[in-house]
PDB file of all heavy atoms in Angstrom:
ATOM      1  N   THR A  79      16.567 -24.714   3.000  1.00  0.00           N
ATOM      2  CA  THR A  79      16.938 -25.998   2.403  1.00  0.00           C
ATOM      3  C   THR A  79      16.521 -25.965   0.940  1.00  0.00           C
ATOM      4  O   THR A  79      16.047 -24.951   0.441  1.00  0.00           O
ATOM      5  CB  THR A  79      16.242 -27.167   3.124  1.00  0.00           C
ATOM      6  OG1 THR A  79      14.832 -27.134   2.836  1.00  0.00           O
ATOM      7  CG2 THR A  79      16.458 -27.080   4.632  1.00  0.00           C
ATOM      8  N   THR A  80      16.675 -27.088   0.256  1.00  0.00           N
ATOM      9  CA  THR A  80      16.256 -27.147  -1.156  1.00  0.00           C
ATOM     10  C   THR A  80      14.743 -27.213  -1.293  1.00  0.00           C
ATOM     11  O   THR A  80      14.216 -27.064  -2.393  1.00  0.00           O
ATOM     12  CB  THR A  80      16.874 -28.379  -1.836  1.00  0.00           C
ATOM     13  OG1 THR A  80      16.486 -29.562  -1.113  1.00  0.00           O
ATOM     14  CG2 THR A  80      18.389 -28.267  -1.882  1.00  0.00           C
ATOM     15  N   THR A  81      14.034 -27.411  -0.197  1.00  0.00           N
ATOM     16  CA  THR A  81      12.578 -27.570  -0.280  1.00  0.00           C
ATOM     17  C   THR A  81      11.790 -26.501   0.477  1.00  0.00           C
ATOM     18  O   THR A  81      10.585 -26.375   0.276  1.00  0.00           O
ATOM     19  CB  THR A  81      12.151 -28.944   0.271  1.00  0.00           C
ATOM     20  OG1 THR A  81      12.587 -29.073   1.638  1.00  0.00           O
ATOM     21  CG2 THR A  81      12.756 -30.054  -0.572  1.00  0.00           C
ATOM     22  N   GLU A  82      12.454 -25.717   1.343  1.00  0.00           N
ATOM     23  CA  GLU A  82      11.724 -24.697   2.085  1.00  0.00           C
ATOM     24  C   GLU A  82      12.673 -23.637   2.620  1.00  0.00           C
ATOM     25  O   GLU A  82      13.891 -23.838   2.692  1.00  0.00           O
ATOM     26  CB  GLU A  82      10.936 -25.314   3.245  1.00  0.00           C
ATOM     27  CG  GLU A  82      11.808 -25.954   4.302  1.00  0.00           C
ATOM     28  CD  GLU A  82      10.995 -26.615   5.396  1.00  0.00           C
ATOM     29  OE1 GLU A  82       9.805 -26.917   5.169  1.00  0.00           O
ATOM     30  OE2 GLU A  82      11.563 -26.831   6.491  1.00  0.00           O
ATOM     31  N   VAL A  83      12.088 -22.489   2.978  1.00  0.00           N
ATOM     32  CA  VAL A  83      12.855 -21.408   3.562  1.00  0.00           C
ATOM     33  C   VAL A  83      12.015 -20.755   4.655  1.00  0.00           C
ATOM     34  O   VAL A  83      10.789 -20.684   4.546  1.00  0.00           O
ATOM     35  CB  VAL A  83      13.259 -20.367   2.496  1.00  0.00           C
ATOM     36  CG1 VAL A  83      12.028 -19.716   1.864  1.00  0.00           C
ATOM     37  CG2 VAL A  83      14.178 -19.314   3.085  1.00  0.00           C
ATOM     38  N   THR A  84      12.675 -20.303   5.706  1.00  0.00           N
ATOM     39  CA  THR A  84      11.995 -19.587   6.777  1.00  0.00           C
ATOM     40  C   THR A  84      12.355 -18.106   6.691  1.00  0.00           C
ATOM     41  O   THR A  84      13.544 -17.749   6.663  1.00  0.00           O
ATOM     42  CB  THR A  84      12.393 -20.132   8.156  1.00  0.00           C
ATOM     43  OG1 THR A  84      12.010 -21.503   8.249  1.00  0.00           O
ATOM     44  CG2 THR A  84      11.706 -19.352   9.272  1.00  0.00           C
ATOM     45  N   LEU A  85      11.333 -17.250   6.633  1.00  0.00           N
ATOM     46  CA  LEU A  85      11.523 -15.802   6.627  1.00  0.00           C
ATOM     47  C   LEU A  85      11.280 -15.264   8.030  1.00  0.00           C
ATOM     48  O   LEU A  85      10.389 -15.735   8.745  1.00  0.00           O
ATOM     49  CB  LEU A  85      10.568 -15.131   5.645  1.00  0.00           C
ATOM     50  CG  LEU A  85      10.639 -15.559   4.187  1.00  0.00           C
ATOM     51  CD1 LEU A  85       9.602 -14.797   3.377  1.00  0.00           C
ATOM     52  CD2 LEU A  85      12.038 -15.331   3.623  1.00  0.00           C
ATOM     53  N   GLN A  86      12.030 -14.246   8.376  1.00  0.00           N
ATOM     54  CA  GLN A  86      11.892 -13.640   9.699  1.00  0.00           C
ATOM     55  C   GLN A  86      12.113 -12.132   9.574  1.00  0.00           C
ATOM     56  O   GLN A  86      12.933 -11.687   8.773  1.00  0.00           O
ATOM     57  CB  GLN A  86      12.923 -14.253  10.638  1.00  0.00           C
ATOM     58  CG  GLN A  86      12.935 -13.705  12.048  1.00  0.00           C
ATOM     59  CD  GLN A  86      13.965 -14.453  12.881  1.00  0.00           C
ATOM     60  OE1 GLN A  86      13.806 -15.611  13.227  1.00  0.00           O
ATOM     61  NE2 GLN A  86      15.069 -13.758  13.180  1.00  0.00           N
ATOM     62  N   TRP A  87      11.378 -11.320  10.352  1.00  0.00           N
ATOM     63  CA  TRP A  87      11.501  -9.868  10.273  1.00  0.00           C
ATOM     64  C   TRP A  87      11.167  -9.242  11.625  1.00  0.00           C
ATOM     65  O   TRP A  87      10.624  -9.894  12.523  1.00  0.00           O
ATOM     66  CB  TRP A  87      10.593  -9.306   9.181  1.00  0.00           C
ATOM     67  CG  TRP A  87       9.131  -9.636   9.367  1.00  0.00           C
ATOM     68  CD1 TRP A  87       8.184  -8.889  10.000  1.00  0.00           C
ATOM     69  CD2 TRP A  87       8.462 -10.823   8.904  1.00  0.00           C
ATOM     70  NE1 TRP A  87       6.967  -9.526   9.971  1.00  0.00           N
ATOM     71  CE2 TRP A  87       7.105 -10.708   9.298  1.00  0.00           C
ATOM     72  CE3 TRP A  87       8.878 -11.957   8.203  1.00  0.00           C
ATOM     73  CZ2 TRP A  87       6.164 -11.704   9.013  1.00  0.00           C
ATOM     74  CZ3 TRP A  87       7.933 -12.947   7.923  1.00  0.00           C
ATOM     75  CH2 TRP A  87       6.599 -12.809   8.314  1.00  0.00           C
ATOM     76  N   ASP A  88      11.478  -7.938  11.754  1.00  0.00           N
ATOM     77  CA  ASP A  88      11.202  -7.215  12.991  1.00  0.00           C
ATOM     78  C   ASP A  88       9.745  -6.767  13.025  1.00  0.00           C
ATOM     79  O   ASP A  88       9.138  -6.469  11.987  1.00  0.00           O
ATOM     80  CB  ASP A  88      12.111  -5.990  13.111  1.00  0.00           C
ATOM     81  CG  ASP A  88      13.579  -6.367  13.189  1.00  0.00           C
ATOM     82  OD1 ASP A  88      13.873  -7.489  13.652  1.00  0.00           O
ATOM     83  OD2 ASP A  88      14.428  -5.552  12.778  1.00  0.00           O
ATOM     84  N   GLU A  89       9.209  -6.678  14.218  1.00  0.00           N
ATOM     85  CA  GLU A  89       7.803  -6.322  14.392  1.00  0.00           C
ATOM     86  C   GLU A  89       7.552  -4.860  14.019  1.00  0.00           C
ATOM     87  O   GLU A  89       8.336  -3.969  14.354  1.00  0.00           O
ATOM     88  CB  GLU A  89       7.383  -6.548  15.843  1.00  0.00           C
ATOM     89  CG  GLU A  89       5.913  -6.302  16.111  1.00  0.00           C
ATOM     90  CD  GLU A  89       5.524  -6.620  17.537  1.00  0.00           C
ATOM     91  OE1 GLU A  89       6.430  -6.924  18.343  1.00  0.00           O
ATOM     92  OE2 GLU A  89       4.320  -6.557  17.855  1.00  0.00           O
ATOM     93  N   SER A  90       6.444  -4.606  13.309  1.00  0.00           N
ATOM     94  CA  SER A  90       6.019  -3.241  13.001  1.00  0.00           C
ATOM     95  C   SER A  90       5.169  -2.705  14.142  1.00  0.00           C
ATOM     96  O   SER A  90       4.774  -3.434  15.054  1.00  0.00           O
ATOM     97  CB  SER A  90       5.210  -3.225  11.696  1.00  0.00           C
ATOM     98  OG  SER A  90       6.006  -3.588  10.600  1.00  0.00           O
ATOM     99  N   SER A  91       4.841  -1.407  14.068  1.00  0.00           N
ATOM    100  CA  SER A  91       3.981  -0.797  15.073  1.00  0.00           C
ATOM    101  C   SER A  91       2.889   0.008  14.395  1.00  0.00           C
ATOM    102  O   SER A  91       3.018   0.407  13.231  1.00  0.00           O
ATOM    103  CB  SER A  91       4.802   0.095  16.009  1.00  0.00           C
ATOM    104  OG  SER A  91       5.413   1.154  15.291  1.00  0.00           O
ATOM    105  N   ASP A  92       1.802   0.254  15.130  1.00  0.00           N
ATOM    106  CA  ASP A  92       0.688   1.040  14.603  1.00  0.00           C
ATOM    107  C   ASP A  92      -0.017   1.722  15.763  1.00  0.00           C
ATOM    108  O   ASP A  92      -0.147   1.151  16.853  1.00  0.00           O
ATOM    109  CB  ASP A  92      -0.292   0.133  13.840  1.00  0.00           C
ATOM    110  CG  ASP A  92      -1.408   0.928  13.202  1.00  0.00           C
ATOM    111  OD1 ASP A  92      -1.172   1.507  12.129  1.00  0.00           O
ATOM    112  OD2 ASP A  92      -2.520   0.971  13.770  1.00  0.00           O
ATOM    113  N   ASP A  93      -0.495   2.944  15.532  1.00  0.00           N
ATOM    114  CA  ASP A  93      -1.084   3.713  16.629  1.00  0.00           C
ATOM    115  C   ASP A  93      -2.425   3.169  17.102  1.00  0.00           C
ATOM    116  O   ASP A  93      -2.841   3.403  18.236  1.00  0.00           O
ATOM    117  CB  ASP A  93      -1.243   5.188  16.225  1.00  0.00           C
ATOM    118  CG  ASP A  93      -2.146   5.363  15.014  1.00  0.00           C
ATOM    119  OD1 ASP A  93      -2.340   4.391  14.257  1.00  0.00           O
ATOM    120  OD2 ASP A  93      -2.657   6.482  14.828  1.00  0.00           O
ATOM    121  N   LYS A  94      -3.118   2.398  16.253  1.00  0.00           N
ATOM    122  CA  LYS A  94      -4.429   1.869  16.633  1.00  0.00           C
ATOM    123  C   LYS A  94      -4.436   0.343  16.767  1.00  0.00           C
ATOM    124  O   LYS A  94      -5.472  -0.241  17.016  1.00  0.00           O
ATOM    125  CB  LYS A  94      -5.478   2.294  15.586  1.00  0.00           C
ATOM    126  CG  LYS A  94      -5.675   3.807  15.470  1.00  0.00           C
ATOM    127  CD  LYS A  94      -6.283   4.381  16.727  1.00  0.00           C
ATOM    128  CE  LYS A  94      -6.458   5.889  16.596  1.00  0.00           C
ATOM    129  NZ  LYS A  94      -7.386   6.292  15.532  1.00  0.00           N
ATOM    130  N   GLY A  95      -3.304  -0.285  16.571  1.00  0.00           N
ATOM    131  CA  GLY A  95      -3.245  -1.733  16.721  1.00  0.00           C
ATOM    132  C   GLY A  95      -2.920  -2.445  15.430  1.00  0.00           C
ATOM    133  O   GLY A  95      -3.482  -2.144  14.374  1.00  0.00           O
ATOM    134  N   LEU A  96      -1.990  -3.397  15.508  1.00  0.00           N
ATOM    135  CA  LEU A  96      -1.534  -4.138  14.336  1.00  0.00           C
ATOM    136  C   LEU A  96      -2.326  -5.429  14.192  1.00  0.00           C
ATOM    137  O   LEU A  96      -2.562  -6.146  15.165  1.00  0.00           O
ATOM    138  CB  LEU A  96      -0.049  -4.448  14.466  1.00  0.00           C
ATOM    139  CG  LEU A  96       0.704  -4.856  13.206  1.00  0.00           C
ATOM    140  CD1 LEU A  96       0.767  -3.687  12.236  1.00  0.00           C
ATOM    141  CD2 LEU A  96       2.108  -5.304  13.570  1.00  0.00           C
ATOM    142  N   SER A  97      -2.757  -5.732  12.962  1.00  0.00           N
ATOM    143  CA  SER A  97      -3.504  -6.959  12.698  1.00  0.00           C
ATOM    144  C   SER A  97      -2.573  -8.115  12.344  1.00  0.00           C
ATOM    145  O   SER A  97      -2.765  -9.236  12.797  1.00  0.00           O
ATOM    146  CB  SER A  97      -4.503  -6.737  11.567  1.00  0.00           C
ATOM    147  OG  SER A  97      -5.143  -7.940  11.204  1.00  0.00           O
ATOM    148  N   GLY A  98      -1.572  -7.849  11.498  1.00  0.00           N
ATOM    149  CA  GLY A  98      -0.659  -8.906  11.082  1.00  0.00           C
ATOM    150  C   GLY A  98       0.158  -8.476   9.885  1.00  0.00           C
ATOM    151  O   GLY A  98       0.377  -7.277   9.666  1.00  0.00           O
TER     152      GLY A  98
END
Side-chain angles (χ1 to χ4, degrees):
T79 70
T80 57
T81 58
E82 64 183 20
V83 62
T84 299
L85 302 179
Q86 179 177 289
W87 58 93
D88 297 333
E89 184 176 6
S90 295
S91 62
D92 184 80
D93 60 340
K94 298 293 179 63
L96 197 67
S97 174

